[in-house]
Amino acid sequence: MDKSALTCRAWRKTVLTRFSCSLLFLAAPVFANDAPFDPDSPWLLGDWAGYRKHLADEGVDFQVDYTTQSAANLAGGYRTSTTMRYADQWTFGSKLDLDKLMNWQGGQFQVTLTNRNGQNLTPYINDPRTGGLSNVQGISARGDYLRLTQFWLNQSLFDHWLEVKLGRVTTNEDFDTASVGMFQNWAMGGGQPGHWRNDRWFNAPVSQWGGRFKLNLPEDVYFQVGVYNQNRANDTKANGFRFDMGHGEGNLIPVELGWKPQLGQDKLQGNYRLGMFYSSTEGGDFHSFKNGEYQHNRRAYGGYLLAEQQLFAMDGDNKRGLSVSFQYVMNDHRTAKMDNYQSLALAWKGPFDARPADEIGIGMARIHVNSDYTKMREGQNAANGVSDYRNPAYLPLQQGAEWNYELYYNAKATRWLNIRPNLQVVTKPGGVRQVQDALIGGLAADISF
Protein backbone atom coordinates (compact mmCIF):
# COMPACT_ATOMS: atom_id res chain seq x y z
CA MET A 1 0.00 0.00 0.00
CA ASP A 2 1.42 3.38 -0.98
CA LYS A 3 2.09 6.25 1.39
CA SER A 4 -0.86 8.39 0.17
CA ALA A 5 -3.33 5.59 0.92
CA LEU A 6 -1.89 5.16 4.43
CA THR A 7 -2.12 8.90 4.99
CA CYS A 8 -5.75 8.96 3.81
CA ARG A 9 -6.64 6.02 6.07
CA ALA A 10 -4.99 7.70 9.06
CA TRP A 11 -6.86 10.93 8.34
CA ARG A 12 -10.22 9.10 8.17
CA LYS A 13 -9.44 7.27 11.40
CA THR A 14 -8.64 10.56 13.18
CA VAL A 15 -11.83 12.21 12.00
CA LEU A 16 -14.00 9.21 12.92
CA THR A 17 -12.37 8.92 16.33
CA ARG A 18 -12.98 12.58 17.13
CA PHE A 19 -16.55 12.39 15.84
CA SER A 20 -17.24 9.30 17.96
CA CYS A 21 -15.77 11.02 21.00
CA SER A 22 -17.98 14.03 20.32
CA LEU A 23 -21.10 11.83 20.38
CA LEU A 24 -19.87 10.14 23.55
CA PHE A 25 -19.34 13.49 25.24
CA LEU A 26 -22.82 14.65 24.28
CA ALA A 27 -24.30 11.49 25.75
CA ALA A 28 -22.34 11.88 29.00
CA PRO A 29 -24.11 12.98 32.21
CA VAL A 30 -24.25 16.73 32.64
CA PHE A 31 -21.89 17.16 35.59
CA ALA A 32 -19.22 19.75 35.13
CA ASN A 33 -16.10 21.49 36.24
CA ASP A 34 -18.31 24.54 35.66
CA ALA A 35 -21.34 23.07 37.42
CA PRO A 36 -24.86 23.58 36.08
CA PHE A 37 -26.37 26.92 37.14
CA ASP A 38 -22.95 28.23 38.19
CA PRO A 39 -23.24 32.03 37.69
CA ASP A 40 -19.57 32.20 36.67
CA SER A 41 -19.96 29.62 33.89
CA PRO A 42 -20.68 30.79 30.32
CA TRP A 43 -23.38 28.09 30.07
CA LEU A 44 -26.41 27.27 32.18
CA LEU A 45 -25.67 23.52 31.93
CA GLY A 46 -22.02 23.99 32.77
CA ASP A 47 -19.03 22.52 30.99
CA TRP A 48 -20.31 18.94 30.58
CA ALA A 49 -17.66 17.57 32.96
CA GLY A 50 -14.97 19.38 30.98
CA TYR A 51 -16.01 17.83 27.69
CA ARG A 52 -17.30 21.06 26.17
CA LYS A 53 -14.00 22.91 26.52
CA HIS A 54 -12.16 19.82 25.36
CA LEU A 55 -14.32 19.64 22.25
CA ALA A 56 -13.69 23.33 21.55
CA ASP A 57 -9.94 22.69 21.78
CA GLU A 58 -10.44 19.88 19.27
CA GLY A 59 -12.35 22.19 16.91
CA VAL A 60 -16.00 21.50 17.79
CA ASP A 61 -17.87 24.45 19.30
CA PHE A 62 -21.55 24.05 20.22
CA GLN A 63 -24.15 26.80 20.54
CA VAL A 64 -27.47 26.26 22.30
CA ASP A 65 -29.26 29.56 22.98
CA TYR A 66 -32.73 30.70 23.92
CA THR A 67 -34.17 34.20 23.44
CA THR A 68 -37.53 35.43 24.62
CA GLN A 69 -39.26 38.75 23.95
CA SER A 70 -42.49 39.97 25.52
CA ALA A 71 -44.32 43.21 24.74
CA ALA A 72 -47.41 44.90 26.15
CA ASN A 73 -49.37 47.81 24.73
CA LEU A 74 -49.51 50.29 27.62
CA ALA A 75 -51.30 53.07 25.73
CA GLY A 76 -52.36 54.09 22.23
CA GLY A 77 -52.09 52.10 19.04
CA TYR A 78 -54.94 50.79 16.89
CA ARG A 79 -56.24 48.65 19.74
CA THR A 80 -55.85 50.84 22.80
CA SER A 81 -56.58 48.13 25.38
CA THR A 82 -53.60 46.66 27.19
CA THR A 83 -52.47 43.56 25.34
CA MET A 84 -49.40 41.39 25.97
CA ARG A 85 -47.73 38.98 23.60
CA TYR A 86 -44.83 36.54 24.06
CA ALA A 87 -42.42 35.13 21.49
CA ASP A 88 -39.23 33.09 21.67
CA GLN A 89 -36.48 31.52 19.58
CA TRP A 90 -34.30 28.47 20.11
CA THR A 91 -30.93 28.28 18.33
CA PHE A 92 -28.97 25.04 17.97
CA GLY A 93 -25.62 25.33 16.24
CA SER A 94 -22.15 23.93 15.85
CA LYS A 95 -19.04 25.50 14.36
CA LEU A 96 -16.26 23.20 13.22
CA ASP A 97 -12.68 24.44 13.01
CA LEU A 98 -11.53 22.15 10.21
CA ASP A 99 -7.87 23.03 10.80
CA LYS A 100 -8.01 21.60 14.33
CA LEU A 101 -10.37 18.79 13.43
CA MET A 102 -8.77 17.39 10.27
CA ASN A 103 -5.78 19.60 9.35
CA TRP A 104 -7.89 21.41 6.72
CA GLN A 105 -6.11 24.72 6.81
CA GLY A 106 -8.32 27.82 6.82
CA GLY A 107 -11.59 25.89 6.78
CA GLN A 108 -14.66 26.51 8.95
CA PHE A 109 -18.03 24.83 8.77
CA GLN A 110 -21.21 26.11 10.45
CA VAL A 111 -24.59 24.47 10.86
CA THR A 112 -27.44 26.21 12.70
CA LEU A 113 -31.08 25.34 13.31
CA THR A 114 -33.57 27.89 14.63
CA ASN A 115 -37.10 27.49 15.92
CA ARG A 116 -39.41 30.46 16.52
CA ASN A 117 -42.68 30.39 18.43
CA GLY A 118 -45.22 32.68 20.04
CA GLN A 119 -47.21 35.74 19.09
CA ASN A 120 -46.36 39.27 18.04
CA LEU A 121 -47.84 42.46 19.50
CA THR A 122 -47.11 44.50 16.36
CA PRO A 123 -50.38 43.68 14.50
CA TYR A 124 -52.37 44.93 17.50
CA ILE A 125 -50.90 48.43 17.42
CA ASN A 126 -51.35 48.80 13.64
CA ASP A 127 -54.38 49.06 11.41
CA PRO A 128 -54.97 45.46 10.21
CA ARG A 129 -55.76 46.75 6.71
CA THR A 130 -52.16 47.94 6.32
CA GLY A 131 -49.99 46.15 8.85
CA GLY A 132 -46.96 47.78 10.43
CA LEU A 133 -43.59 49.01 9.28
CA SER A 134 -41.42 48.24 12.30
CA ASN A 135 -41.63 45.20 14.58
CA VAL A 136 -41.69 45.70 18.35
CA GLN A 137 -40.66 42.05 18.86
CA GLY A 138 -37.83 41.44 16.43
CA ILE A 139 -37.89 37.64 16.70
CA SER A 140 -41.60 37.50 15.83
CA ALA A 141 -41.07 37.34 12.09
CA ARG A 142 -40.66 34.88 9.23
CA GLY A 143 -42.81 32.10 10.69
CA ASP A 144 -43.02 29.88 13.75
CA TYR A 145 -41.30 26.66 12.79
CA LEU A 146 -38.00 24.80 12.79
CA ARG A 147 -35.72 25.68 9.90
CA LEU A 148 -32.16 25.31 8.69
CA THR A 149 -30.62 28.76 9.05
CA GLN A 150 -26.94 28.10 8.33
CA PHE A 151 -25.17 25.29 6.51
CA TRP A 152 -22.00 26.70 5.01
CA LEU A 153 -18.29 26.27 4.49
CA ASN A 154 -15.94 29.25 4.82
CA GLN A 155 -12.48 28.85 3.34
CA SER A 156 -9.63 31.25 4.05
CA LEU A 157 -6.98 31.43 1.29
CA PHE A 158 -3.68 33.16 0.57
CA ASP A 159 -2.75 33.82 4.19
CA HIS A 160 -6.26 35.10 4.97
CA TRP A 161 -6.30 37.63 2.13
CA LEU A 162 -9.32 35.94 0.57
CA GLU A 163 -12.33 34.27 2.19
CA VAL A 164 -14.90 32.25 0.27
CA LYS A 165 -18.17 31.20 1.91
CA LEU A 166 -20.61 28.85 0.15
CA GLY A 167 -23.77 27.01 1.19
CA ARG A 168 -27.04 27.89 2.87
CA VAL A 169 -26.41 31.38 4.17
CA THR A 170 -28.22 34.43 5.54
CA THR A 171 -27.47 37.86 4.11
CA ASN A 172 -27.17 39.83 7.35
CA GLU A 173 -24.51 37.55 8.84
CA ASP A 174 -22.02 39.17 6.46
CA PHE A 175 -23.59 42.37 5.07
CA ASP A 176 -24.72 45.37 7.14
CA THR A 177 -23.78 43.44 10.28
CA ALA A 178 -24.09 45.69 13.35
CA SER A 179 -22.56 45.20 16.79
CA VAL A 180 -23.87 48.14 18.85
CA GLY A 181 -27.01 47.68 20.93
CA MET A 182 -29.35 44.93 22.12
CA PHE A 183 -32.64 46.41 20.94
CA GLN A 184 -35.91 44.49 20.85
CA ASN A 185 -37.42 46.63 18.07
CA TRP A 186 -35.91 45.54 14.78
CA ALA A 187 -35.78 49.17 13.56
CA MET A 188 -32.48 49.30 15.46
CA GLY A 189 -29.67 46.79 14.90
CA GLY A 190 -28.13 45.11 11.88
CA GLY A 191 -29.50 43.88 8.58
CA GLN A 192 -31.67 46.96 8.04
CA PRO A 193 -31.88 46.61 4.22
CA GLY A 194 -33.63 43.31 4.85
CA HIS A 195 -36.30 44.97 6.99
CA TRP A 196 -37.21 47.61 4.41
CA ARG A 197 -36.75 45.35 1.37
CA ASN A 198 -37.88 42.10 2.96
CA ASP A 199 -39.24 40.94 -0.40
CA ARG A 200 -35.69 40.91 -1.82
CA TRP A 201 -33.15 40.84 1.04
CA PHE A 202 -33.74 37.93 3.44
CA ASN A 203 -32.24 38.15 6.93
CA ALA A 204 -31.88 35.29 9.41
CA PRO A 205 -33.53 32.97 10.16
CA VAL A 206 -34.35 32.62 6.44
CA SER A 207 -31.47 31.05 4.52
CA GLN A 208 -30.85 30.65 0.82
CA TRP A 209 -28.27 29.14 -1.46
CA GLY A 210 -25.49 31.61 -1.96
CA GLY A 211 -21.96 32.70 -1.30
CA ARG A 212 -19.73 35.55 -0.28
CA PHE A 213 -16.27 36.49 -1.53
CA LYS A 214 -14.26 38.72 0.80
CA LEU A 215 -10.91 40.44 0.32
CA ASN A 216 -9.15 41.36 3.58
CA LEU A 217 -7.05 44.42 2.73
CA PRO A 218 -4.42 46.29 4.76
CA GLU A 219 -5.32 48.84 7.45
CA ASP A 220 -8.39 46.89 8.66
CA VAL A 221 -10.19 47.43 5.32
CA TYR A 222 -12.13 44.76 3.45
CA PHE A 223 -14.22 44.46 0.31
CA GLN A 224 -16.85 41.80 -0.24
CA VAL A 225 -19.50 40.78 -2.74
CA GLY A 226 -22.28 38.23 -2.30
CA VAL A 227 -24.64 36.29 -4.54
CA TYR A 228 -27.87 34.94 -3.00
CA ASN A 229 -30.48 32.93 -4.89
CA GLN A 230 -33.92 34.46 -4.36
CA ASN A 231 -36.83 32.11 -3.89
CA ARG A 232 -39.88 33.11 -1.84
CA ALA A 233 -40.49 29.43 -1.10
CA ASN A 234 -37.57 29.65 1.34
CA ASP A 235 -39.85 31.72 3.57
CA THR A 236 -42.64 29.14 3.80
CA LYS A 237 -43.24 26.51 6.47
CA ALA A 238 -42.97 23.58 4.11
CA ASN A 239 -39.46 24.63 3.10
CA GLY A 240 -37.66 25.05 6.41
CA PHE A 241 -35.11 22.52 5.16
CA ARG A 242 -35.37 23.29 1.45
CA PHE A 243 -32.39 22.16 -0.63
CA ASP A 244 -34.08 22.45 -4.01
CA MET A 245 -32.24 24.96 -6.21
CA GLY A 246 -35.06 25.14 -8.72
CA HIS A 247 -37.86 27.67 -8.99
CA GLY A 248 -35.47 30.56 -8.40
CA GLU A 249 -36.81 34.03 -9.15
CA GLY A 250 -33.50 35.82 -9.47
CA ASN A 251 -30.46 36.77 -7.43
CA LEU A 252 -29.58 39.37 -4.83
CA ILE A 253 -26.09 40.82 -5.26
CA PRO A 254 -24.84 42.99 -2.39
CA VAL A 255 -21.46 44.75 -2.52
CA GLU A 256 -19.83 46.21 0.59
CA LEU A 257 -16.69 48.18 1.46
CA GLY A 258 -15.85 48.07 5.15
CA TRP A 259 -13.38 49.36 7.70
CA LYS A 260 -13.04 47.91 11.21
CA PRO A 261 -10.42 50.00 13.00
CA GLN A 262 -9.19 49.92 16.58
CA LEU A 263 -8.51 53.55 17.38
CA GLY A 264 -6.18 55.08 19.93
CA GLN A 265 -4.35 53.64 22.89
CA ASP A 266 -7.52 51.98 24.17
CA LYS A 267 -8.18 50.32 20.78
CA LEU A 268 -11.70 51.69 20.50
CA GLN A 269 -13.73 49.45 18.19
CA GLY A 270 -15.13 50.82 14.94
CA ASN A 271 -17.40 49.26 12.33
CA TYR A 272 -17.94 51.21 9.10
CA ARG A 273 -19.78 49.73 6.13
CA LEU A 274 -20.85 51.27 2.83
CA GLY A 275 -22.86 49.04 0.53
CA MET A 276 -25.28 48.73 -2.31
CA PHE A 277 -27.40 45.88 -3.63
CA TYR A 278 -29.14 44.84 -6.82
CA SER A 279 -31.93 42.32 -7.19
CA SER A 280 -32.74 40.69 -10.52
CA THR A 281 -36.10 39.54 -9.15
CA GLU A 282 -38.87 41.57 -10.75
CA GLY A 283 -41.68 43.25 -8.81
CA GLY A 284 -44.57 45.57 -9.51
CA ASP A 285 -43.91 49.13 -10.65
CA PHE A 286 -46.12 51.45 -8.57
CA HIS A 287 -46.49 53.88 -11.49
CA SER A 288 -48.01 51.17 -13.64
CA PHE A 289 -50.76 50.03 -11.26
CA LYS A 290 -54.08 50.11 -13.10
CA ASN A 291 -57.36 48.18 -12.96
CA GLY A 292 -56.28 46.35 -9.83
CA GLU A 293 -52.94 45.05 -11.13
CA TYR A 294 -49.45 46.07 -12.14
CA GLN A 295 -48.93 46.64 -15.85
CA HIS A 296 -45.12 46.55 -15.62
CA ASN A 297 -42.52 44.87 -13.42
CA ARG A 298 -39.05 46.14 -12.57
CA ARG A 299 -35.93 44.96 -10.86
CA ALA A 300 -34.82 46.57 -7.60
CA TYR A 301 -31.76 48.28 -6.15
CA GLY A 302 -30.71 50.15 -3.02
CA GLY A 303 -27.83 51.24 -0.83
CA TYR A 304 -26.91 51.56 2.84
CA LEU A 305 -24.47 53.08 5.29
CA LEU A 306 -23.57 51.74 8.73
CA ALA A 307 -21.20 53.67 11.02
CA GLU A 308 -20.45 52.44 14.55
CA GLN A 309 -17.73 53.71 16.86
CA GLN A 310 -16.83 53.29 20.49
CA LEU A 311 -16.32 56.83 21.78
CA PHE A 312 -14.41 56.10 24.97
CA ALA A 313 -13.32 53.30 27.28
CA MET A 314 -13.74 53.31 31.03
CA ASP A 315 -10.47 53.19 32.95
CA GLY A 316 -8.69 51.86 29.87
CA ASP A 317 -11.05 48.87 29.55
CA ASN A 318 -12.51 48.89 26.03
CA LYS A 319 -15.06 46.27 27.04
CA ARG A 320 -16.74 49.14 28.89
CA GLY A 321 -17.67 52.52 27.48
CA LEU A 322 -20.03 54.44 25.23
CA SER A 323 -20.60 53.55 21.56
CA VAL A 324 -22.67 55.27 18.88
CA SER A 325 -24.35 53.81 15.79
CA PHE A 326 -25.81 55.55 12.73
CA GLN A 327 -27.55 53.83 9.82
CA TYR A 328 -29.07 54.92 6.53
CA VAL A 329 -30.89 52.85 3.89
CA MET A 330 -32.10 54.02 0.46
CA ASN A 331 -34.39 52.03 -1.86
CA ASP A 332 -35.62 52.69 -5.38
CA HIS A 333 -38.93 54.54 -5.84
CA ARG A 334 -40.40 52.25 -8.46
CA THR A 335 -40.76 49.07 -6.39
CA ALA A 336 -40.00 49.79 -2.70
CA LYS A 337 -42.77 50.54 -0.21
CA MET A 338 -40.23 52.10 2.19
CA ASP A 339 -37.86 54.33 0.23
CA ASN A 340 -35.54 55.51 3.04
CA TYR A 341 -34.64 54.84 6.66
CA GLN A 342 -32.36 56.40 9.27
CA SER A 343 -31.47 55.44 12.84
CA LEU A 344 -29.24 56.74 15.64
CA ALA A 345 -28.40 54.71 18.73
CA LEU A 346 -26.19 54.89 21.82
CA ALA A 347 -25.10 51.94 23.95
CA TRP A 348 -23.11 52.20 27.19
CA LYS A 349 -21.48 48.99 28.34
CA GLY A 350 -20.51 48.74 31.99
CA PRO A 351 -22.03 52.05 33.10
CA PHE A 352 -21.58 51.27 36.81
CA ASP A 353 -18.48 49.95 38.53
CA ALA A 354 -20.67 47.64 40.60
CA ARG A 355 -22.27 46.27 37.37
CA PRO A 356 -19.42 46.19 34.81
CA ALA A 357 -21.20 43.76 32.45
CA ASP A 358 -24.56 45.58 32.26
CA GLU A 359 -25.58 47.83 29.37
CA ILE A 360 -27.86 50.80 28.78
CA GLY A 361 -29.10 51.57 25.28
CA ILE A 362 -31.26 54.21 23.65
CA GLY A 363 -32.15 54.53 19.99
CA MET A 364 -34.48 56.11 17.51
CA ALA A 365 -35.37 55.21 13.94
CA ARG A 366 -37.29 56.90 11.13
CA ILE A 367 -39.01 54.77 8.48
CA HIS A 368 -40.32 56.69 5.47
CA VAL A 369 -43.08 55.49 3.17
CA ASN A 370 -42.53 55.99 -0.56
CA SER A 371 -44.86 58.75 -1.81
CA ASP A 372 -45.34 56.79 -5.05
CA TYR A 373 -46.76 53.92 -3.00
CA THR A 374 -49.10 56.35 -1.21
CA LYS A 375 -50.35 57.72 -4.54
CA MET A 376 -51.02 54.19 -5.74
CA ARG A 377 -53.21 53.57 -2.67
CA GLU A 378 -55.04 56.84 -3.26
CA GLY A 379 -55.78 55.71 -6.81
CA GLN A 380 -57.13 52.39 -5.55
CA ASN A 381 -59.50 54.15 -3.14
CA ALA A 382 -60.68 56.48 -5.90
CA ALA A 383 -61.29 53.54 -8.23
CA ASN A 384 -63.28 51.79 -5.49
CA GLY A 385 -65.26 54.94 -4.74
CA VAL A 386 -64.36 55.07 -1.03
CA SER A 387 -62.91 58.01 0.90
CA ASP A 388 -63.97 57.47 4.53
CA TYR A 389 -61.30 55.92 6.78
CA ARG A 390 -64.06 54.21 8.78
CA ASN A 391 -65.31 52.35 5.72
CA PRO A 392 -64.05 48.71 5.89
CA ALA A 393 -63.34 48.83 2.12
CA TYR A 394 -61.11 51.90 2.51
CA LEU A 395 -57.36 51.33 2.12
CA PRO A 396 -55.70 53.46 4.84
CA LEU A 397 -53.01 55.72 3.44
CA GLN A 398 -49.52 54.97 4.63
CA GLN A 399 -47.59 58.18 4.17
CA GLY A 400 -44.78 60.20 5.66
CA ALA A 401 -42.69 58.56 8.36
CA GLU A 402 -43.15 56.26 11.31
CA TRP A 403 -40.76 56.96 14.21
CA ASN A 404 -39.57 54.35 16.68
CA TYR A 405 -37.85 54.97 20.01
CA GLU A 406 -36.47 52.45 22.49
CA LEU A 407 -34.75 52.58 25.88
CA TYR A 408 -33.45 49.40 27.51
CA TYR A 409 -31.35 48.23 30.43
CA ASN A 410 -29.60 44.89 30.04
CA ALA A 411 -28.78 43.24 33.35
CA LYS A 412 -26.08 40.60 33.12
CA ALA A 413 -27.57 38.41 35.84
CA THR A 414 -25.02 35.63 35.25
CA ARG A 415 -22.55 34.89 32.48
CA TRP A 416 -25.24 32.80 30.82
CA LEU A 417 -28.32 34.96 31.50
CA ASN A 418 -29.27 38.45 30.26
CA ILE A 419 -32.50 40.12 31.39
CA ARG A 420 -33.52 43.22 29.45
CA PRO A 421 -36.55 45.39 30.28
CA ASN A 422 -37.31 48.01 27.65
CA LEU A 423 -39.69 50.83 26.83
CA GLN A 424 -40.70 51.68 23.26
CA VAL A 425 -42.65 54.47 21.61
CA VAL A 426 -44.03 54.11 18.07
CA THR A 427 -45.38 57.32 16.52
CA LYS A 428 -47.90 57.13 13.68
CA PRO A 429 -47.81 53.30 13.60
CA GLY A 430 -47.69 51.96 10.07
CA GLY A 431 -47.45 55.50 8.72
CA VAL A 432 -51.23 55.89 9.20
CA ARG A 433 -52.07 59.24 10.78
CA GLN A 434 -55.43 58.03 12.15
CA VAL A 435 -53.68 55.50 14.44
CA GLN A 436 -52.62 56.78 17.86
CA ASP A 437 -49.00 56.75 18.97
CA ALA A 438 -48.25 53.60 20.97
CA LEU A 439 -46.36 53.16 24.26
CA ILE A 440 -44.92 49.64 24.56
CA GLY A 441 -43.42 47.95 27.60
CA GLY A 442 -41.16 45.00 26.88
CA LEU A 443 -39.03 42.35 28.55
CA ALA A 444 -36.40 40.27 26.78
CA ALA A 445 -34.03 37.57 28.03
CA ASP A 446 -31.15 35.55 26.57
CA ILE A 447 -29.95 32.22 27.95
CA SER A 448 -26.89 30.26 26.80
CA PHE A 449 -27.16 26.56 27.54
Side-chain angles (χ1 to χ4, degrees), residues 295-311:
Q295 306 300 312
H296 301 289
N297 292 320
R298 291 185 182 273
R299 297 174 181 179
Y301 61 88
Y304 60 91
L305 169 68
L306 169 64
E308 298 181 319
Q309 182 61 56
Q310 184 176 0
L311 302 179

Side-chain angles (χ1 to χ4, degrees), residues 71-86 118-137 140 389 426 429-430 435-440:
N73 185 10
L74 304 180
Y78 185 79
R79 298 186 181 182
T80 56
S81 59
T82 300
T83 305
M84 185 172 183
R85 291 295 181 264
Y86 171 92
Q119 293 181 307
N120 188 1
L121 180 69
T122 304
Y124 294 86
I125 67 171
N126 288 278
D127 191 314
R129 292 170 292 180
T130 63
L133 301 183
S134 62
N135 190 333
V136 298
Q137 291 166 272
S140 294
Y389 175 79
V426 182
V435 180
Q436 299 179 37
D437 298 348
L439 176 64
I440 310 297

Side-chain angles (χ1 to χ4, degrees), residues 30 32-54 56 61-65 414-417 447-449:
V30 182
N33 297 336
D34 291 339
F37 301 99
D38 182 349
D40 295 322
S41 171
W43 312 289
L44 182 148
L45 297 180
D47 191 26
W48 305 346
Y51 296 148
R52 188 165 189 165
K53 290 180 180 177
H54 176 76
D61 180 27
F62 291 99
Q63 307 99 38
V64 181
D65 300 301
T414 68
R415 289 186 64 190
W416 44 265
L417 173 62
I447 304 174
S448 294
F449 287 86

Side-chain angles (χ1 to χ4, degrees), residues 223-387:
F223 175 79
Q224 60 182 0
V225 58
V227 180
Y228 301 90
N229 180 251
Q230 297 187 287
N231 190 329
R232 289 186 177 88
N234 291 328
D235 193 27
T236 61
K237 187 172 184 176
N239 294 292
F241 290 84
R242 183 185 180 92
F243 284 92
D244 180 13
M245 297 184 69
H247 308 98
E249 300 170 341
N251 293 289
L252 175 75
I253 304 175
V255 177
E256 183 178 276
L257 177 66
W259 180 43
K260 303 187 73 173
Q262 297 181 348
L263 303 179
Q265 182 177 356
D266 293 330
K267 295 185 177 181
L268 302 177
Q269 302 292 322
N271 178 28
Y272 299 87
R273 298 168 182 251
L274 178 64
M276 61 178 295
F277 60 90
Y278 169 79
S279 170
S280 62
T281 300
E282 293 189 341
D285 182 340
F286 299 145
H287 296 141
S288 72
F289 193 85
K290 187 178 180 180
N291 298 326
E293 61 182 8
Y294 295 106
Q295 306 300 312
H296 301 289
N297 292 320
R298 291 185 182 273
R299 297 174 181 179
Y301 61 88
Y304 60 91
L305 169 68
L306 169 64
E308 298 181 319
Q309 182 61 56
Q310 184 176 0
L311 302 179
F312 63 82
M314 299 182 67
D315 300 323
D317 182 2
N318 66 6
K319 294 182 180 179
R320 299 177 61 192
L322 181 66
S323 297
V324 63
S325 172
F326 171 76
Q327 296 198 64
Y328 176 83
V329 176
M330 179 276 295
N331 291 316
D332 71 87
H333 277 257
R334 293 281 187 172
T335 65
K337 179 178 177 180
M338 282 78 79
D339 59 356
N340 68 82
Y341 152 93
Q342 304 84 35
S343 70
L344 181 66
L346 295 170
W348 193 341
K349 294 183 179 180
F352 310 114
D353 291 337
R355 304 287 305 174
D358 288 0
E359 179 175 313
I360 299 174
I362 185 170
M364 63 179 182
R366 173 184 177 271
I367 309 157
H368 187 264
V369 179
N370 185 354
S371 59
D372 290 338
Y373 176 82
T374 306
K375 291 176 182 177
M376 183 188 73
R377 300 276 284 194
E378 289 177 331
Q380 289 176 276
N381 284 327
N384 295 331
V386 292
S387 58

Side-chain angles (χ1 to χ4, degrees), residues 58-98:
E58 292 292 308
V60 182
D61 180 27
F62 291 99
Q63 307 99 38
V64 181
D65 300 301
Y66 177 78
T67 296
T68 173
Q69 295 178 352
S70 298
N73 185 10
L74 304 180
Y78 185 79
R79 298 186 181 182
T80 56
S81 59
T82 300
T83 305
M84 185 172 183
R85 291 295 181 264
Y86 171 92
D88 61 27
Q89 174 178 285
W90 283 95
T91 303
F92 307 93
S94 181
K95 178 176 287 187
L96 305 182
D97 185 329
L98 301 183

